[in-house]
Amino acid sequence: MTTSLKTLAQLILKNCEILDDSCAKRGIPVPSLDKPYAPGSDVATDDDPAAAQAMMVIASTTEQLLKTIRPAPLALYSFVTSGVTGAAARVASELHVTEALRDSGEKGLHINEIAAKCKTHPLKLGVVLRMLASHWVFKEVRPDVFANNRLSSVLDKGQSIEELQAHPENRYSKPFAGLSAGVDHFGDDSLKMCAHLYEALADPEWAFSSAPNKSAFNKAFDFDGTLWEFYELPDQKVRHDRFKIMMSTAERFDSPELIPKGFEWASLPDGGVVVDVGGGIGNISMKIAKTNPKLKVVCQDMQKTVEAAHAHWKGDEEKAIISSGRVTFQGHDFFAAQPVKNASVFFIKHVLHDWSDDSCLTILRALREAAGPDTKLVVMDKVLPYTCLDQGEGEDVPGYTKPKLPEPLTNVGAATIGFPYMSSLVMMMLGNGQERAIGHYVELFKKGGWKVERVRQFDSLARYDSAVIASPI
Ligand SMILES: C[S@@+](CC[C@H](N)C(=O)[O-])C[C@H]1O[C@@H](n2cnc3c(N)ncnc32)[C@H](O)[C@@H]1O
């Protein structure tokens, strides 16, 4: 079926009107791409579900319109070369271009001055910045003169360029800098894996392996172990620290309701034990403990991460929570027998998607062995929709909401501009994991000894994580 261009344009127009009205109601202007980003200036927020839906429809329809009107080879090439953008963004972030431009405001600086501050070649940096400017990251205000704008200002790490250059080890120490940590991680670790994805899938042995050491990551870094073992090597400390900071910032992209409302923590008995399996340095453990003082949270991770966790928490409230035993850290390999028996909850967030089904089964079975009859398994990851409207098996799980699109849209994946699918592919590249559809969870959990009871979703398009809640079979 073909859709007229006018039909698509009308859908965009109708939804732009919703966003205009939303801005007017909130008393904010439509943001200028030329001005630095300010929190609260976004056109669509989750407080206004109609505006959030309108943003999704506009993004999806615009993509469909562009793919339709462009010559097909150009439509294809407009995104197959997008790795280049990630590489350029990392250069801008790691050389601190945003900070170099901060004081010059909208008038900007000549590329010679920017390059001198950033200690690199002006001609080369100009090529990088012009490429980014073509994507609205920085603005070329006059030939060879660049200024910060809305998107480039997101890369501001909150320190002067002199401080950043003098103490690179502290470059992500300010709260907003985690977004740069993510850009640097994607432009480095992820892009290197991307460059080896084909080799991993074309290797006659590796292609059919679910082992975590037979992935694009292993080809890229010539390392025979998991990404997590790699990050624990002393010479990978910079990458590991950056990853941990990126993970703590990842919450910024999640629904603020995920942890408080993803599970009924208040329904657990006083003194109930929550085991945060693969909990990293305890970002989520701490959140759970802060709002549920009667629970005890055991945050388990690899030994070096546990040591980092002890060093990480310096605030008075967090130190008090740790010294009172409401959050404890425990070195534990989640592939081995689970030492905490009969917990109220085994909580596992952003872990299962890192691993293949075979590896997940080992983790799930170890938790099942240690579970009591009332133990709940709470998994927080994406519930990934198929890109078609038909969502296959698992639609009868209580709480599951199927994605809906207004006619004539049919590409569920385009509605989130592919972000959850990018995430799924990254998980596969780093250790043969993936994001999973609802039916996939049901089957996998059944094999691991758990029955999916219900799911708590915060959107149906997997822009946000969901909570999949299961009981022992
Ligand atoms: C993507 S992070 C998720 C961290 C945390 N759950 C969160 O959502 O912020 C995955 C975590 O799994 C941990 N991990 C990897 N392999 C492990 C293993 N065999 N045993 C325990 N933890 C492991 C990593 O160290 C890392 O902290």
Side-chain angles (χ1 to χ4, degrees), residues 277-295:
V277 181
I281 53 173
N283 292 314
I284 312 296
S285 296
M286 218 31 106
K287 263 195 179 174
I288 297 170
K290 279 182 187 173
T291 45
N292 299 280
K294 292 177 183 155
L295 299 179

Side-chain angles (χ1 to χ4, degrees), residues 22-41:
S22 166
C23 287
K25 249 192 280 159
R26 287 161 59 212
I28 61 158
V30 171
S32 161
L33 285 177
D34 291 346
K35 303 264 186 252
Y37 173 72
S41 64

Side-chain angles (χ1 to χ4, degrees), residues 56 63 70 111 172 182 196 292 304 331 369 411 436:
M56 179 279 284
E63 281 292 306
R70 282 184 167 146
I111 191 65
Y172 307 125
H196 292 78
N292 299 280
K304 287 235 174 71
E369 279 289 303
N411 185 343
R436 293 177 170 88

Side-chain angles (χ1 to χ4, degrees), residues 419-453:
F419 197 81
Y421 306 89
M422 179 280 295
S423 169
S424 191
L425 184 52
V426 167
M427 300 311 150
M428 193 178 82
M429 291 194 295
L430 64 80
N432 284 322
Q434 68 171 113
E435 306 291 356
R436 293 177 170 88
I438 188 67
H440 196 156
Y441 280 109
V442 171
E443 283 308 306
L444 182 67
F445 281 29
K446 196 165 31 165
K447 287 187 197 149
W450 296 92
K451 177 177 170 28
V452 173
E453 267 183 358

Side-chain angles (χ1 to χ4, degrees), residues 228 247 278-280 301-302 305 332-335 349-350 354-355:
W228 316 105
M247 282 310 299
D301 208 286
M302 294 165 77
T305 303
H332 169 63
D333 173 2
F334 48 48
F335 293 112
K349 177 169 181 284
H350 284 173
D354 294 337
W355 303 92

Side-chain angles (χ1 to χ4, degrees), residues 199-278:
E199 282 74 10
L201 265 76
D203 184 308
E205 185 206 336
W206 289 39
F208 296 95
S209 172
S210 62
N213 62 343
K214 297 274 183 285
S215 66
F217 152 72
N218 302 96
K219 293 266 181 202
F221 290 92
D222 194 21
F223 180 75
D224 185 23
T226 68
L227 176 78
W228 316 105
E229 289 160 350
F230 177 72
Y231 277 162
E232 298 224 320
L233 298 176
D235 62 349
Q236 296 304 325
K237 184 173 174 347
V238 171
R239 281 202 169 99
H240 194 191
D241 288 349
R242 180 175 68 189
F243 177 84
K244 282 182 283 194
I245 290 168
M246 179 188 75
M247 282 310 299
S248 55
T249 308
E251 284 176 45
R252 199 184 278 272
F253 295 107
D254 248 325
S255 163
E257 302 202 314
L258 176 67
I259 304 300
K261 300 216 173 131
F263 182 73
E264 302 75 23
W265 304 105
S267 70
L268 298 178
D270 284 6
V273 175
V274 175
V275 185
D276 184 359
V277 181

